[in-house]
Amino acid sequence: MPLPSIFQGRLRIPAVGAPMFIVSTPELVLAQCKAGIAGSFPALNARPIKALDEWLSRIEDELQAHDRQHPTQRAAPFGVNLIVHRTNDRLEGDTELVIRHKVPYVITSVGAPHGIVERVHAYGGIVFHDVTNVRHAQKAIAAGVDGLILVCAGAGGHAGTLSPFALVTEVREFFAGPIILSGAISCGRAIRAAQILGADLAYLGTRFIPTIEANATDAYKRMILSSTAADIVYTPRFSGIPASYLRASIAAAGHNPDEPGTPPKTIDVVGAESEGDSSAKVWRDIWSAGQGVGTIHTLASVAEVVQELTREYEASAIVGNA
């Protein structure tokens, strides 16, 4: 499936920087887009809502300036993640700003994207929707989304449990549109593997946490560098929806990572403080990561990370054709 026109000729490698709560800010997104991968951030990271207007203006202005200075190496497009769950009381206001700024692509998650798709299409934008299973994929397609983000086992944040070998293959039986694959992708070889499986783009989040531009604490970045896949705990305990967290951060927040704990009485996917097993500030103190942490060993700039991913991606093609 050809990539949507907004991506064509503007990606150094077929990758999208996943929107990460707190971590993804204009600094990270701009660095990703200028380095040649599509950047994105959750609208809810910009607080209060007027900050979202400022963030969007800054990203637009800086990317336009970059393109004027580098006409043969235009920046990759950026996107905004909208949480469409009913608990998000900012959804309408955030959507209006996305429309006003004509954000190139929108990522919808945790709910049905009905009503969003038509409004984004009206200004020429495209919509990708997060899904973790076939049923959700079919519902998103029925709602008119342009593409799917398959969030498979091993992904950071709110992740699914299905193997990418299973989910990509099943979805490709009925969907020919663009697929972005998520789940423990942290090196260029994995990006190549995602394409071989049938995806068009790879979704990388954890790989960009230990970067200079990421809005993560030094302790968070160091924990990523010292962790392996065995240090990831998958639990609904803190937001009400199963998600992947760093074991050491759970312990540091005063919880036993090996106990099931009590999920909050209400789902919290917008960063509010919820009831239940959340004496620490969950969104600040309990840190998300995917199972790809074991191959991340150095703190670097986004440009350096993308350069390394590109080398690995290109080398994997040589190996595959040998």
Side-chain angles (χ1 to χ4, degrees):
M1 172 70 187
L3 288 176
S5 59
I6 65 167
F7 294 104
Q8 292 179 16
R10 297 177 65 181
L11 297 179
R12 186 174 179 184
I13 49 176
V16 176
M20 296 178 283
F21 195 79
I22 297 178
V23 174
S24 300
T25 60
E27 286 74 19
L28 181 60
V29 172
L30 286 164
Q32 290 172 328
C33 293
K34 292 175 183 178
I37 72 168
S40 65
F41 69 93
L44 290 170
N45 277 5
R47 305 193 186 202
I49 192 171
K50 67 178 183 180
L52 179 59
D53 192 19
E54 297 167 357
W55 284 21
L56 292 173
S57 294
R58 177 187 169 189
I59 292 171
E60 290 166 343
D61 291 345
E62 291 198 26
L63 291 183
Q64 288 171 5
H66 175 276
D67 289 351
R68 287 193 297 270
Q69 296 168 8
H70 305 86
T72 62
Q73 292 182 316
R74 297 175 62 204
F78 77 96
V80 172
N81 174 213
L82 296 175
I83 301 297
V84 295
H85 194 267
R86 63 182 180 279
T87 58
N88 182 12
D89 59 8
R90 268 187 49 172
L91 178 58
E92 179 56 32
D94 289 342
T95 302
E96 289 180 356
L97 285 171
V98 162
I99 294 169
R100 184 188 308 167
H101 286 270
K102 298 183 179 179
V103 172
Y105 70 95
V106 172
I107 299 167
T108 52
S109 55
V110 199
H114 296 289
I116 303 292
V117 175
E118 297 81 3
R119 298 170 73 183
V120 173
H121 284 173
Y123 69 76
I126 62 174
V127 178
F128 290 91
H129 188 67
D130 279 355
V131 302
T132 58
N133 57 52
V134 167
R135 183 173 66 87
H136 290 161
Q138 292 170 332
K139 292 175 67 175
I141 294 166
V145 300
D146 301 279
L148 300 171
I149 300 173
L150 306 188
V151 188
C152 295
H158 295 112
T161 58
L162 291 176
S163 163
F165 289 95
L167 190 54
V168 174
T169 304
E170 288 193 32
V171 170
R172 272 298 180 219
E173 290 189 347
F174 58 84
F175 182 63
I179 287 178
I180 303 175
L181 180 61
S182 171
I185 300 176
S186 59
C187 66
R189 296 183 304 280
I191 296 172
R192 179 75 67 182
Q195 288 186 300
I196 293 171
L197 275 178
D200 300 284
L201 299 164
Y203 210 45
L204 292 81
T206 305
R207 185 64 186 86
F208 289 99
I209 296 174
T211 56
I212 295 168
E213 296 88 348
N215 185 39
T217 65
D218 289 342
Y220 190 176
K221 295 178 182 181
R222 289 194 302 271
M223 193 176 291
I224 293 287
L225 299 180
S226 64
S227 296
T228 67
D231 297 310
I232 302 301
V233 176
Y234 181 73
T235 176
R237 178 175 177 180
F238 302 108
S239 71
I241 297 177
S244 300
Y245 303 97
L246 289 164
R247 172 181 293 274
S249 73
I250 296 174
H255 302 288
N256 183 343
D258 296 315
E259 292 181 352
T262 304
K265 294 179 181 179
T266 57
I267 291 175
D268 177 14
V269 290
V270 297
E273 291 304 320
S274 50
E275 299 180 58
D277 196 357
S278 58
S279 55
K281 292 186 179 300
V282 170
W283 296 99
R284 185 194 68 192
D285 301 320
I286 300 177
W287 300 327
S288 174
Q291 291 179 8
V293 291
T295 62
I296 304 172
H297 305 298
T298 57
L299 174 68
S301 69
V302 166
E304 291 169 331
V305 170
V306 173
Q307 185 174 18
E308 180 182 5
L309 291 171
T310 302
R311 285 196 301 266
E312 295 170 341
Y313 176 77
E314 293 176 347
S316 67
I318 296 172
V319 171
N321 293 328

